[in-house]
Amino acid sequence: MCDSVNGQKGAISISVEWQIYDRTQKKVVEIIKSAGKGERAKFDQDGLNGMINDAFKDSLNAMVDQGKVQKYLGAPTPH
């Protein structure tokens, strides 16, 4: 990441451990790990927050692509 008076640009990678909590069982029923990446090619005053948000979104999409979210929501798995 590069920081200047014009904001930040660069790329970050994160690894997220998602925990699915079942309120009826009062416990975590599954732990899912996924990774994500966020990038900004040009300086942006909110570049760091944007990169972090994009990395979490990418990680969430990776979890959805694994079929894990659909498993608990009853929705069809992606094709």
Side-chain angles (χ1 to χ4, degrees), residues 6-33:
N6 296 320
Q8 302 85 31
K9 71 176 183 176
I12 62 168
S13 297
I14 62 170
S15 178
V16 180
E17 180 180 282
W18 303 93
Q19 295 183 0
I20 307 297
Y21 182 80
D22 185 322
R23 288 184 290 182
T24 59
Q25 297 182 48
K26 297 182 181 177
K27 68 177 185 175
V28 173
V29 293
E30 187 164 358
I31 295 173
I32 304 154
K33 294 181 182 181

Side-chain angles (χ1 to χ4, degrees), residues 4-78:
S4 81
V5 295
N6 296 320
Q8 302 85 31
K9 71 176 183 176
I12 62 168
S13 297
I14 62 170
S15 178
V16 180
E17 180 180 282
W18 303 93
Q19 295 183 0
I20 307 297
Y21 182 80
D22 185 322
R23 288 184 290 182
T24 59
Q25 297 182 48
K26 297 182 181 177
K27 68 177 185 175
V28 173
V29 293
E30 187 164 358
I31 295 173
I32 304 154
K33 294 181 182 181
S34 62
K37 185 175 182 180
E39 297 183 62
R40 288 292 181 273
K42 297 181 180 180
F43 284 105
D44 181 345
Q45 287 298 326
D46 199 29
L48 178 59
N49 286 333
M51 286 185 271
I52 292 169
N53 288 340
D54 288 351
F56 269 104
K57 182 175 76 174
D58 194 37
S59 176
L60 176 60
N61 287 334
M63 182 176 62
V64 169
D65 290 345
Q66 293 176 31
K68 301 296 184 173
V69 174
Q70 299 86 339
K71 175 181 173 181
Y72 293 99
L73 297 179
T77 56

